[in-house]
Amino acid sequence: MGEFELIRRYFVPLACSPGSQSVLVGPGDDCAIQRIPAGSDLVFSIDTLVESVHFPLNYRPDFLGWRALAAAASDLAAMGADPTCFTLALTLPEVDESWLRGFAFGLGEAAKAFGLVLAGGDTTRGPLALSVQVHGLVPQGTAIRRSGAGPGDLVVVSGSLGDAGAALQYLDVLSPSADEAYVIERYHHPEPRLKLGIALRDFATAAIDVSDGLLADLGHILEASSVGASIERSRVPVSPSLKRLTGSAACDYALHSGDDYELCVTIPEASWASAPLSLKQQLTVIGVIESMQGLRLDGADVGSGSETVGFDHFRRES
């Protein structure tokens, strides 16, 4: 099978599914065309995933399709963007139709779930890797950035943290327990908080998705905003399954491991007080933004944003 037949058979159908009306031209031309409505800003982000770095060898292709789009779409959630479309650059060691069917299925299921339509892309031959670029729209000037946090803002997070990081030790378990299955599913099928991100546009001063670990990602907000923060270990939300599986180490997973794709957000106290209950129920207050720079956990200094340990593609162990 040649490159163009591969695209026609497995990926053009993803461009024909119901999607954003702003995509005027999708796959099949030299470029896609997206029309930006008046009064809107375009936000976009790209994520690259490489086999053995971002996902295991021989990882199920349908899981990979979902995770690849979820990881990219989570950046839209952090900006409060309405999702519109995505592009895909896929590098394959060979044409394996069974693998392609599974990958396209997982990608298509994620696209439908997240409200994204395929606008174009490219395929080539080489070690397995893929890059997904996502586009979203926000009303002009309303995108939530990392740089808006101010002293007195509450630090809040969505959902629970640490499950995906803990799942890594159970991925090869043939008959997982109910708790193991729960964290494994959180790894295979993360759900970017797109609707929550949109709802936070009226309340948040800064936001980031938790992809590299809570301490590391909160550190990026602190750096961008030139502030510090104090958070409390006991307030960091962890799932009952993670508690049962890891005991006293559950909070360490929540603080340091990534791939949960929850949101870490700063909200002024007055805005928090006026926020609807339906929004508050999705979030947990874990700390407060302070004028003194640095990140403090239960009063102990754990470094600045640049020093906080999280996933780093180029860090070498000493």
Side-chain angles (χ1 to χ4, degrees), residues 226-248:
S226 299
V227 293
S230 289
I231 62 174
E232 298 178 35
R233 177 184 291 265
S234 63
R235 302 178 78 174
V236 176
V238 295
S239 69
S241 290
L242 184 63
K243 286 182 182 178
R244 287 189 289 265
L245 288 171
T246 64
S248 60

Side-chain angles (χ1 to χ4, degrees), residues 11 48 57 223 231 292 304:
F11 298 114
T48 296
L57 280 168
E223 276 195 307
I231 62 174
M292 184 174 70
S304 67

Side-chain angles (χ1 to χ4, degrees), residues 37-62:
S40 295
D41 289 332
L42 173 67
V43 297
F44 51 94
S45 176
I46 188 167
D47 273 354
T48 296
L49 283 74
V50 179
E51 188 175 45
S52 298
V53 177
H54 302 97
F55 57 93
L57 280 168
N58 302 314
Y59 190 52
R60 266 183 57 170
D62 54 331

Side-chain angles (χ1 to χ4, degrees), residues 35-181:
R35 178 166 293 164
I36 310 305
S40 295
D41 289 332
L42 173 67
V43 297
F44 51 94
S45 176
I46 188 167
D47 273 354
T48 296
L49 283 74
V50 179
E51 188 175 45
S52 298
V53 177
H54 302 97
F55 57 93
L57 280 168
N58 302 314
Y59 190 52
R60 266 183 57 170
D62 54 331
F63 291 168
L64 179 58
W66 180 286
R67 287 194 74 234
L69 193 55
S74 185
D75 290 329
L76 296 179
M79 301 288 284
D82 290 282
T84 58
C85 61
F86 70 100
T87 60
L88 169 69
L90 179 62
T91 303
L92 294 168
E94 60 183 352
V95 175
D96 180 333
E97 292 200 53
S98 175
W99 190 95
L100 282 164
R101 278 193 298 272
F103 178 77
F105 175 80
L107 188 67
E109 291 296 292
K112 286 186 288 186
F114 307 152
L116 289 159
V117 61
L118 181 65
D122 190 27
T123 58
T124 190
R125 184 170 182 170
L128 182 59
L130 56 152
S131 293
V132 177
Q133 178 164 303
V134 288
H135 286 198
L137 298 171
V138 295
Q140 201 167 75
T142 66
I144 309 169
R145 300 176 61 185
R146 299 179 183 181
S147 56
D153 288 357
L154 301 176
V155 179
V156 304
V157 295
S158 66
S160 62
L161 301 174
D163 293 320
L168 294 175
Q169 61 190 303
Y170 305 113
L171 294 181
D172 294 328
V173 174
L174 296 179
S175 298
S177 67
D179 288 331
E180 291 167 350

Side-chain angles (χ1 to χ4, degrees), residues 206-225:
I208 192 170
D209 72 320
V210 182
S211 56
D212 296 331
L214 174 62
L215 295 186
D217 289 318
L218 174 56
H220 295 318
I221 289 180
L222 303 185
E223 276 195 307
S225 300

